[in-house]
Amino acid sequence: MPSTRYTTQFLLSALAAEQFPAPTVPEIAFLGRSNVGKSSLLNALVGEKAAKVSQTPGRTRAINFFALLDPRQQSKLIFADLPGYGYAKISKSISAEWPKFIDPYLAERGPLKLCVCLVDSNIPPQPNDGKLVDWLRHAGREFLVVATKTDRLSGNARTRNLLAIKKTFELDEVLPVSAKTGAGIKELWIRIEASSAIEAV
Ligand code: GDP
């Protein structure tokens, strides 16, 4: 778990770069295909509020920003929940909008310290996930691929699928997580705080 007990405060939903919050504290972005388990993971990381806000109709196409406040109510981190991309009908228009404000966000956002890229551990590596990883790599962004829903797999299948993800996307590491069991959540917090240069105590 995190070094501090954070409370989560919804900041805003942005549909254009002009609406992004003022860059103040380190920011962590969460990316993945629709249904990958992003809301569930955010829920496991910071509580229900973030997940609920991000799934509110009208906000699913936006970048939803959340401040994480320490016990003194000081903002320490921002989580940016990016729109799900992928295969659902609605995502077609999201993909069309991708270059307009997501691309510049990922390319230019100053305080962005880490992109957490979610991939589903239960299915074969998906080309659009690969595209995102390649894009981030070329943009020189720090990213971490997180394999979701690992509780659904037996030990052997998990090992096999994680290896396939690593190989296909040419990664040194993949972090397996389960929002359901909490596996990997602590490790993800350690990575988030390390990237943000927040001292774990
Ligand atoms: P999102 O569209 O990426 O926000 O995905 P959701 O968080 O809404 O999850 C999509 C579906 O996957 C839901 O039916 C969840 O219950 C399920 N799911 C998400 N995370 C897990 C997990 O860690 N384990 C299991 N077994 N199911 C999960």
Side-chain angles (χ1 to χ4, degrees), residues 34-194:
S34 314
N35 217 37
V36 72
K38 188 152 57 68
S39 304
S40 304
L41 184 70
L42 280 168
N43 197 352
L45 285 169
V46 297
E48 253 175 78
K49 196 171 181 175
K52 273 197 182 148
V53 168
S54 291
Q55 291 196 327
T56 308
R59 289 193 168 141
T60 54
R61 290 155 181 264
I63 302 182
N64 293 306
F65 291 91
F66 301 88
L68 273 66
L69 310 175
D70 71 8
R72 293 183 195 147
Q73 297 298 298
Q74 282 185 327
S75 179
K76 286 288 174 190
L77 265 177
I78 287 182
F79 279 6
D81 184 12
L82 273 74
Y85 56 89
Y87 60 100
K89 254 190 188 159
I90 187 173
S91 294
K92 281 214 165 138
S93 56
I94 288 173
S95 310
E97 280 172 27
W98 187 259
K100 265 196 259 152
F101 74 108
I102 312 266
D103 224 75
Y105 171 81
L106 292 171
E108 293 156 22
R109 182 71 173 161
L112 180 57
K113 300 293 181 201
L114 179 68
C115 295
V116 179
C117 302
L118 279 59
V119 302
D120 190 335
S121 67
N122 293 255
I123 57 173
Q126 299 292 301
N128 47 10
D129 293 333
K131 267 191 207 163
L132 175 66
V133 166
D134 281 345
W135 194 97
L136 292 171
R137 197 175 269 140
H138 287 124
R141 277 290 181 200
E142 193 187 340
F143 65 89
L144 172 66
V145 173
V146 166
T148 62
K149 310 185 195 178
T150 52
D151 59 279
R152 286 193 185 162
L153 296 164
S154 70
N156 279 346
R158 188 179 311 159
T159 307
R160 198 170 51 237
N161 289 9
L162 291 174
L163 201 64
I165 292 166
K166 256 170 105 171
K167 270 191 151 176
T168 308
F169 300 150
E170 298 176 12
L171 304 167
D172 293 330
E173 69 159 327
V174 174
L175 178 67
V177 300
S178 165
K180 197 172 176 184
T181 66
I185 300 298
K186 188 177 165 199
E187 289 75 10
L188 181 53
W189 261 119
I190 290 170
R191 293 297 302 263
I192 288 170
E193 293 195 321

